Amino acid sequence: MTLPPEMNKWEKKITGYAHDFGLDFFPVQFELLDYRMMNQIAAYDGFPIRYPHWRFGMEFERLSKSYAYGLHRIYEMVINTDPCIAYLLVSNELVDQKLVIAHVFGHSDFFKNNLWFAQTNRKMLDEMANHASRVRRHVERHGLERVEAFLDACLSLEDLIDIHKAGIRRRPEQEPEGEDQDENTPSFKLPAKNYMDEYINPPEFLAEHQRQKAEEELQRRKLPPEPERDVLLFLLEHAPLENWQYDLLEIVREEAYYFAPQRQTKIMNEGWAAFAHTHIMTGYALEPNELIDYADHHSGTVAVNPGHLNPYKLGLELYRDIEDRWNRGAFGPEYEECNNLQQRREWDRKIGLGRQKVFEVRQIYNDIGFIDEYLTEDFAREHNMFGFDYNPDDNLYEISTRDFQEIKRRLLFQLTNFGHPVIDVVDANYENKGQLYLLHQHEGVDLDIPYAQDTLHSLYTLWGRPVFIETRVENQGRHLYGYGPDGITEQNLDKPEEDQPENQETV
Amino acid sequence: MILLIEQDSNRYKQIVRGKVRQNLRKYISNSQLIGRQGKDLVSIPIPEIELPRFRFGENNSGVGQGEGEIGNPIGRGQPVNGSGQAGDQPGEHLLEVELTMEELAEMLGEELALPRIEPKGKHNVESDITRFTGIRKVGPEGLRHFKRTYREALKRQMASGAYDPVQPSIIPIRDDKRYRSWKIYPRPVSNAVILYMMDVSGSMTDYKKKLVRLTTFWIDTWLRANYKQLTIRYIVHDAAAQEVDADTFYHLQEDGGTRISSAYTLAQQIIQRDYNPSDWNLYTFHFSDGENSGNEDDQRCLKMLQEQILPEVNLFCYGQVRSQADYLFRNVLVKGINDEKLSTAQINEEEDIYTAIKTFLGKGL
């Protein structure tokens, strides 16, 4: 449903305000939806059509139930396409609609300008419909059960992508050719005059050189040559997949990469949209009689409750802090070195760069950089941030620290790789048996082992031969978990095998 | 309007049902469901359905915002921490699934591969009842709905400006009048009877009776799903038998010895008096711990079953509950009678109920 005339009028006005504020966004197409359609769209991650899969149904049921119980409602959704599609809930009050329209322009501006979105497919609407019809065709040909089981396996691995892929070229474009030639000449020698030869090129040296060469050669033949973070790509290239399986995995991977930047910029994106709507609403669009409703709604959006960090709130306040500091010139070595709190507070060089700075920030950072760079000790203190821990004695979560470094460390850890474990493929021919070997880069938190074992099962479905993951278990050293035709295996790598009567335990 | 996502929803529900069916054995031995029937919703916990992922284990810390000293509690259980990453809470998650008893009976049937029962007799005869459930614009004055008529008239007068608050007289015209209307509902005639017999002699402990109760509950559930209406009669016996109501049946404790033939005699009398076997589907179930008083009575029972009861009923089932003695009535039955209408089962603990039900109802008689 398109917008009624009254809202159409406001959409045009707000578009103008947004441009005045400096936003540079894709054209936005607004759609009004009732709550059922809204729940469907939300379950489909904002798209009108997705491939058939039960998890969308599960999400839909969950949303419908919590809507029915009044636990939440979705006011608006917007997707990263060009033009942007934004969905508004039809039952919103006019003032809410104005707010969310302004909010949507913030998102659209962010999608268009933030660097992390630069590589995303802006025609994803078509692509999703394409995926849907491809999956449906596979279902028709191979049956729902088979396709679904394989999709489940792929989806359980969808986090195993390289989120920095867009920014880094990990592989050389093409293997340089002809370089091998001198390696094929067996009689390598350093240049030496005849009579010096046996001193300059003694047999031990030559043997050592040979050995090094052989090792390099082995390394080059190794698969993968370097640890591969994009596990899905590796599987696409090397797993023994049938055509339809290849297609499904490719679909899952493409969608995972499409959604990755949104998860990388949750705080920045929501914060930016809130920053935009507060400026537009309070600066231009709000009518006096709407003030209370607006304030009510806005404070609902940015409300904090203990134990929950609201990304809207955190992002919004950080942008405000940045704008304020750059307006006052409160940055740089001189400011950092000033230890007088009074002076720091009253610091004002009147340079007025705030607005310019926030626009720059929204362009070049993602959440990790944003927090790392702009979450200051002053800010954390001012906003009462704390770290909490679980206390098993009384089954309560308790505030455990107000230490700035610790808070920041935790936040950054949560954001690293979206709070997923970092996992690489290191060997595709483990024990020379074509077995797949993954390595979890342990950074202080253990894997959830039962989940890991189930996930290995999924990986085994794709790889077809036994699969392993090496990880650390607290206080027990390195463990190797595996899954193969005989089920689950487990092995402690730091204990010599003789000590373990049953190092290959089949469950 | 039918939403596209309903396909996915239905598929999800199908998967949930599959999980429930897998765990059916567990629910059958769960006494909490007793007493529910038909459209009653029951809430069944099943393990959460999700896609496994490589993820972190213990995640019991996070960052929050607000007032408070170090050590102040901020929440019980698992608050959602972090900045929007879902699914990182620890612990076993259970999903509550709501099902009606009818659906559960359906699953029971599918899982146990219970055949649909072909009822005999006048199973198509139904009488009608009328219920006043709707409103119409035409009808006899006797059924005029005063309130609705008044409201319509009021609405019309206000809309047309004829309403005068000073003198609020409301005069309905023909169009305003509303009448109650009725619908005809078919009411099925009861054509199936369950006769439960239970040994309540001294040796039948509370635990044994609990097993019986669970078994009968699932039998009821299944038969209810097959017959529109079901009459249930209860007989208890020790050395003598009497007919009782359901509550007494499950709670009565007597002291005497056991004479099974007394119950069979009474059952036979009830059938003869109230239920003509050509019109009625008769289901007879007998539960005992199998310690009958002696060989003489056993023989009498066999004779009665073969000559009088078995020819008239759809099914005669004997469930032997948890017995210690060597000499048992079940052996007598198994040796003495070879009739497909007779089924026997041994129920020693909750786990056996599943098999017992399959044995009893698996023939589809």
Side-chain angles (χ1 to χ4, degrees):
Chain A
M1 189 164 43
T2 48
L3 298 187
E6 173 74 1
M7 279 177 62
N8 226 334
K9 192 185 83 190
W10 276 108
E11 185 213 329
K12 289 208 172 65
K13 277 192 188 172
I14 294 172
T15 309
Y17 301 147
H19 281 302
D20 293 348
F21 176 57
L23 297 184
D24 162 32
F25 43 86
F26 294 129
V28 180
Q29 184 191 327
F30 287 94
E31 300 276 346
L32 278 182
L33 301 181
D34 67 12
Y35 72 94
R36 283 181 72 224
M37 277 302 280
M38 191 62 124
N39 287 341
Q40 165 176 325
I41 295 271
Y44 279 157
D45 299 309
F47 287 86
I49 186 166
R50 292 293 291 274
Y51 56 81
H53 193 262
W54 56 266
R55 102 197 120 110
F56 301 125
M58 177 168 80
E59 181 64 8
F60 178 71
E61 290 295 313
R62 194 184 66 75
L63 289 171
S64 303
K65 209 170 232 180
S66 90
Y67 182 87
Y69 290 142
L71 296 178
H72 91 290
R73 59 197 285 210
I74 302 164
Y75 287 93
E76 136 282 330
M77 279 212 74
V78 52
I79 51 174
N80 166 32
T81 51
D82 181 13
C84 269
I85 314 286
Y87 307 95
L88 309 180
L89 191 61
V90 70
S91 60
N92 290 345
E93 299 286 327
L94 181 62
V95 57
D96 292 340
Q97 302 289 31
K98 285 159 71 176
L99 188 157
V100 293
I101 289 172
H103 191 88
V104 162
F105 288 135
H107 281 306
S108 182
D109 170 80
F110 195 86
F111 290 146
K112 185 172 175 184
N113 292 289
N114 186 276
L115 278 179
W116 299 85
F117 284 91
Q119 307 282 333
T120 52
N121 181 357
R122 311 290 189 179
K123 299 286 174 218
M124 203 57 189
L125 210 59
D126 300 342
E127 197 60 39
M128 286 290 187
N130 177 354
H131 290 176
S133 63
R134 270 152 75 187
V135 174
R136 275 177 221 285
R137 202 167 58 228
H138 294 311
V139 169
E140 276 169 26
R141 209 168 280 172
H142 305 280
L144 177 66
E145 309 269 321
R146 278 178 79 194
V147 170
E148 185 180 79
F150 191 79
L151 259 181
D152 286 355
C154 295
L155 286 167
S156 103
L157 304 169
E158 71 176 341
D159 300 329
L160 301 179
I161 57 173
D162 182 359
I163 54 172
H164 301 300
K165 185 139 205 145
I168 302 174
R169 183 171 297 143
R170 302 249 189 228
R171 298 180 181 182
E173 284 287 280
Q174 217 168 9
E175 287 287 329
E177 279 175 39
E179 196 197 312
D180 304 351
Q181 277 171 3
D182 74 314
E183 288 172 34
N184 293 336
T185 53
S187 54
F188 166 84
K189 276 184 182 176
L190 288 175
K193 294 200 168 96
N194 260 347
Y195 68 95
M196 283 297 282
D197 191 49
E198 69 182 290
Y199 301 102
I200 290 178
N201 293 315
E204 309 90 73
F205 170 76
L206 289 179
E208 173 65 16
H209 185 265
Q210 280 289 327
R211 204 183 55 74
Q212 271 181 14
K213 272 283 178 220
E215 212 165 79
E216 269 171 37
E217 181 67 8
L218 210 65
Q219 183 69 22
R220 225 167 44 83
R221 293 235 180 104
K222 207 180 148 207
L223 193 70
E226 299 287 325
E228 174 66 67
R229 179 86 30 106
D230 192 343
V231 179
L232 293 188
L233 177 65
F234 185 83
L235 289 170
L236 277 175
E237 287 172 345
H238 302 289
L241 301 174
E242 291 177 36
N243 282 344
W244 63 274
Q245 294 175 319
Y246 184 92
D247 196 39
L248 291 177
L249 182 58
E250 200 175 32
I251 286 171
V252 168
R253 177 169 174 269
E254 192 180 336
E255 295 189 2
Y257 271 109
Y258 172 77
F259 287 114
Q262 300 189 22
R263 298 197 286 167
Q264 277 174 285
T265 56
K266 177 98 179 156
I267 295 171
M268 287 193 73
N269 197 348
E270 292 301 354
W272 183 250
F275 188 73
H277 84 229
T278 48
H279 272 274
I280 293 171
M281 288 301 281
T282 56
Y284 316 94
L286 204 59
E287 316 247 308
N289 63 353
E290 295 171 334
L291 180 67
I292 302 292
D293 287 334
Y294 166 76
D296 180 43
H297 184 137
H298 175 73
S299 53
T301 318
V302 294
V304 287
N305 62 329
H308 184 111
L309 207 59
N310 183 340
Y312 293 78
K313 171 77 175 172
L314 181 64
L316 174 63
E317 294 297 342
L318 276 171
Y319 283 116
R320 282 181 175 163
D321 187 56
I322 294 167
E323 187 178 30
D324 174 56
R325 279 169 55 209
W326 260 259
N327 273 337
R328 295 188 290 126
F331 59 92
E334 210 180 324
Y335 174 79
E336 297 299 331
E337 277 162 23
C338 170
N339 284 328
N340 185 329
L341 201 62
Q342 184 72 11
Q343 250 179 15
R344 282 170 76 104
R345 265 191 204 140
E346 289 168 5
W347 193 283
D348 197 353
R349 296 278 146 93
K350 298 204 185 339
I351 58 171
L353 292 176
R355 185 58 58 88
Q356 191 191 329
K357 181 68 184 174
V358 286
F359 274 83
E360 178 190 310
V361 168
R362 73 98 162 78
Q363 188 163 5
I364 60 178
Y365 285 93
N366 67 1
D367 281 349
I368 293 185
F370 188 54
I371 299 291
D372 195 24
E373 190 70 31
Y374 298 107
L375 183 74
T376 61
E377 191 158 4
D378 292 339
F379 181 90
R381 192 179 323 111
E382 201 179 316
H383 289 91
N384 283 319
M385 294 178 75
F386 60 75
F388 63 84
D389 278 291
Y390 179 64
N391 182 347
D393 293 342
D394 44 13
N395 185 28
L396 287 175
Y397 282 88
E398 292 173 355
I399 298 177
S400 55
T401 178
R402 293 255 178 206
D403 176 51
F404 170 64
Q405 292 304 335
E406 173 64 14
I407 291 170
K408 190 159 173 175
R409 191 193 63 76
R410 287 185 183 195
L411 251 182
L412 289 175
F413 179 75
Q414 277 178 14
L415 296 171
T416 303
N417 204 30
F418 326 127
H420 294 315
V422 176
I423 291 166
D424 295 324
V425 180
V426 291
D427 191 357
N429 192 22
Y430 176 56
E431 289 181 334
N432 204 16
K433 288 179 189 161
Q435 308 180 119
L436 194 63
Y437 194 103
L438 304 186
L439 176 67
H440 167 223
Q441 317 254 345
H442 196 277
E443 283 154 36
V445 183
D446 286 356
L447 287 184
D448 182 324
I449 299 303
Y451 271 75
Q453 287 168 335
D454 286 351
T455 316
L456 282 176
H457 185 173
S458 304
L459 190 60
Y460 172 65
T461 309
L462 270 72
W463 187 246
R465 299 193 52 78
V467 290
F468 296 90
I469 186 166
E470 180 191 321
T471 182
R472 278 177 185 285
V473 177
E474 207 178 332
N475 304 327
Q476 292 178 39
R478 295 179 307 141
H479 273 62
L480 185 65
Y481 293 95
Y483 194 95
D486 305 325
I488 299 166
T489 59
E490 185 180 345
Q491 189 186 345
N492 189 338
L493 295 175
D494 284 347
K495 279 191 189 161
E497 292 200 2
E498 304 85 86
D499 290 0
Q500 287 187 303
E502 269 181 49
N503 62 41
Q504 198 116 73
E505 176 190 338
T506 308
V507 180
Chain B
M1 187 181 57
I2 292 172
L3 296 178
L4 186 65
I5 202 164
E6 277 172 27
Q7 295 173 12
D8 296 329
S9 266
N10 291 337
R11 178 68 189 145
Y12 166 64
K13 285 177 190 159
Q14 217 179 340
I15 292 172
V16 168
R17 259 142 234 255
K19 291 266 174 200
V20 175
R21 275 175 58 177
Q22 274 172 24
N23 294 311
L24 206 63
R25 198 179 273 268
K26 206 164 70 201
Y27 309 128
I28 284 180
S29 47
N30 176 358
S31 52
Q32 280 170 7
L33 297 177
I34 281 183
R36 317 288 186 82
Q37 52 172 276
K39 300 249 185 287
D40 284 1
L41 276 179
V42 290
S43 178
I44 290 175
I46 61 167
E48 194 171 46
I49 297 171
E50 60 182 332
L51 295 163
R53 285 162 197 281
F54 288 119
R55 58 173 214 183
F56 291 120
E58 307 259 305
N59 190 3
N60 290 334
S61 62
V63 178
Q65 203 176 347
E67 302 291 329
E69 300 292 313
I70 286 174
N72 283 9
I74 53 162
R76 188 168 285 280
Q78 292 101 29
V80 180
N81 64 36
S83 23
Q85 286 111 14
D88 52 2
Q89 297 105 314
E92 171 82 353
H93 290 252
L94 289 176
L95 191 69
E96 292 271 316
V97 183
E98 291 198 329
L99 295 171
T100 63
M101 280 310 290
E102 274 172 2
E103 287 171 307
L104 208 54
E106 198 67 33
M107 287 180 203
L108 180 80
E110 285 169 24
E111 190 60 19
L112 290 174
L114 298 181
R116 279 272 154 198
I117 295 169
E118 270 311 322
K120 62 181 179 182
K122 47 177 182 178
H123 52 275
N124 287 327
V125 175
E126 290 174 342
S127 66
D128 296 335
I129 52 166
T130 50
R131 285 223 179 94
F132 287 94
T133 53
I135 295 289
R136 287 198 272 201
K137 291 183 92 172
V138 289
E141 287 302 305
L143 290 178
R144 195 180 62 218
H145 195 305
F146 182 80
K147 234 183 202 169
R148 297 275 188 125
T149 306
Y150 176 84
R151 209 157 68 195
E152 289 302 318
L154 181 64
K155 266 200 292 205
R156 177 181 48 79
Q157 276 182 249
M158 288 182 84
S160 66
Y163 180 73
D164 177 9
V166 185
Q167 205 186 9
S169 58
I170 306 293
I171 299 145
I173 60 169
R174 192 193 180 100
D175 256 3
D176 298 332
K177 292 196 179 167
R178 293 292 181 274
Y179 302 89
R180 292 182 171 85
S181 80
W182 65 91
K183 251 192 178 166
I184 294 168
Y185 294 90
R187 188 177 61 177
V189 168
S190 160
N191 61 349
V193 184
I194 305 180
L195 257 176
Y196 285 124
M197 290 168 269
M198 182 163 64
D199 182 355
V200 288
S201 63
S203 55
M204 285 293 284
T205 58
D206 280 349
Y207 181 67
K208 292 180 188 175
K209 272 189 241 162
K210 188 183 153 200
L211 292 177
V212 173
R213 172 133 217 209
L214 270 170
T215 314
T216 57
F217 171 70
W218 288 105
I219 293 170
D220 287 356
T221 304
W222 174 245
L223 289 177
R224 243 183 252 283
N226 278 277
Y227 291 101
K228 282 181 179 160
Q229 241 182 356
L230 204 56
T231 313
I232 305 175
R233 308 275 292 257
Y234 300 92
I235 295 170
V236 292
H237 73 90
D238 43 12
Q242 66 186 106
E243 187 180 357
V244 293
D245 61 24
D247 193 56
T248 323
F249 182 74
Y250 291 116
H251 297 105
L252 191 71
Q253 176 76 58
E254 297 279 340
D255 245 351
T258 311
R259 216 145 53 76
I260 294 178
S261 64
S262 65
Y264 292 0
T265 314
L266 182 57
Q268 163 65 12
Q269 281 164 8
I270 291 175
I271 293 172
Q272 286 237 294
R273 191 177 66 228
D274 297 340
Y275 307 106
N276 178 357
S278 60
D279 290 341
W280 291 86
N281 296 284
L282 290 160
Y283 292 87
T284 38
F285 295 89
H286 179 218
F287 299 95
S288 162
D289 53 7
E291 296 170 24
N292 202 13
S293 61
N295 190 27
E296 186 192 335
D297 196 60
D298 287 349
Q299 292 313 319
R300 195 175 308 142
C301 291
L302 285 183
K303 188 155 173 274
M304 283 189 66
L305 279 175
Q306 272 170 318
E307 289 174 6
Q308 290 170 295
I309 299 182
L310 281 175
E312 296 184 347
V313 298
N314 292 37
L315 203 55
F316 185 93
C317 303
Y318 172 72
Q320 186 159 279
V321 199
R322 227 185 187 198
S323 35
Q324 279 92 30
D326 302 335
Y327 160 78
L328 294 165
F329 188 61
R330 185 179 171 206
N331 303 345
V332 178
L333 282 182
V334 174
K335 277 193 208 125
I337 301 176
N338 182 14
D339 186 325
E340 66 153 5
K341 287 178 178 174
L342 177 82
S343 316
T344 66
Q346 180 74 32
I347 307 170
N348 286 331
E349 51 186 23
E350 280 95 339
E351 289 288 297
D352 299 332
I353 294 173
Y354 188 83
T355 340
I357 291 172
K358 192 164 169 57
T359 320
F360 287 166
L361 304 173
K363 292 175 187 161
L365 293 170

